[in-house]
Amino acid sequence: MDDLASFLRTRRSRVDPAAVGIPADSRRRVEGLRREEVAHLSGVSVDYYVRLEQGRARQPSEQVLDALARVLGLDETERGHLDRLARQRRRRAKAPVGRVRPELLRVLGLVADAPALIMNHRLDVLAGNRLAVLLFGRPMPGLNIARHIFLEEAERGLYADWEACTLDVVGHLRLAAGKYPEDPQLALLIGELSLGSERFRRLWARADVRARTHGRKAYRHPLVGLLELHQENFALPDASGTELLVFSAAPGTPAEDGLRLLAGLGTDSGDTHPTVNAQIRE
């Protein structure tokens, strides 16, 4: 699903030669840096770097990875991803089982004034509270955020910042692919998204990685209008790759009023969804 060679190729293609002291050349036909330039700036032989990009070199040392990260201008998230890709052959992380403890479900149900859900590394929603069900307009079992954003055209309008959301989703899945390269369900999901969405194919080819832990999230709900919320991600310590997400509204904002209205609409309509919807995956 992901490999060191393709990551290195995409990263060097985005480096501006002038930024690393290489004069501009009108005859230059390579986007970004050439292989030999990366090798020279990193202090490794051209032959060794070529073998890295061809997937033929064995485990590179920390010193080599640090040098490559410096030359390629990798941020902290990308540097961690580079390290995982370089160690894949020696250490394979096992994809976590998507079981949600009953105690976590009780905690989720206690979040009454904000949509909250539990999601795994594949962006499968394993459980959601009542407001999350009302926000997405559907039960949580079977909901995958990546499919929802890329493949369900009728649902696209829910995401006020749809293009930004697609960048976050692809960046997240790239990280997951690097961490769990032997997860067959993740491989199937990526294949499904690649077949069904031209935008996903283009973004996936860029090999960008993103680790979103918090930030603005805007939804355009068909009943209550625009909801500008704050997303906070909490990694669950006993379930690797699984997070609790809470979408809160700042006090005194239209979004806070909108969430109250949304909760009331659910009550008025005789909403029968349970407080917590759980999905168990093996």
Side-chain angles (χ1 to χ4, degrees), residues 21 67 69 77 119 125 132 174 176 185 187 212 221 225-226 228 231 260 269:
T77 299
M119 189 169 64
V125 177
R174 268 287 179 186
Q185 292 186 55
R212 175 143 187 173
H221 195 275
L226 182 65
E228 294 187 337
Q231 174 182 316
R260 288 200 191 102
S269 63

Side-chain angles (χ1 to χ4, degrees), residues 27 35 39 45 71 80-81 91 96 103 117 130 162 170 211 217 227 231 240 242 255 259 266 270 275:
R27 296 172 297 175
R35 287 173 172 175
S45 71
V71 172
H81 186 62
R91 184 175 61 249
E103 295 83 1
L117 53 86
R130 179 174 170 274
W162 183 80
V170 174
K217 201 77 171 181
L227 294 171
Q231 174 182 316
S240 177
T242 305
L259 287 181
T275 303

Side-chain angles (χ1 to χ4, degrees), residues 185-196:
Q185 292 186 55
L186 180 57
L188 287 172
L189 173 64
I190 292 169
E192 179 185 355
L193 296 171
S194 297
L195 288 173

Side-chain angles (χ1 to χ4, degrees), residues 25-99:
D25 186 345
S26 60
R27 296 172 297 175
R28 190 180 189 89
R29 300 186 183 279
V30 176
E31 184 177 4
L33 296 178
R34 299 185 177 97
R35 287 173 172 175
E36 58 269 26
E37 292 167 342
V38 175
H40 173 73
L41 293 168
S42 303
V44 300
S45 71
V46 175
D47 176 69
Y48 180 72
Y49 183 76
V50 169
R51 285 189 287 120
L52 278 176
E53 281 207 5
Q54 293 176 343
R56 296 188 292 114
R58 294 185 178 272
Q59 307 292 333
S61 68
E62 285 297 318
Q63 292 81 0
V64 168
L65 294 177
D66 285 339
L68 290 174
R70 172 181 52 79
V71 172
L72 300 175
L74 304 187
D75 60 24
E76 183 178 354
T77 299
E78 292 169 323
R79 176 62 180 87
H81 186 62
L82 175 68
D83 186 69
R84 282 190 294 273
L85 295 178
R87 308 300 174 210
Q88 273 184 8
R89 295 179 183 176
R90 185 172 62 190
R91 184 175 61 249
R92 296 285 187 174
K94 184 178 180 181
V97 175
R99 295 188 180 277

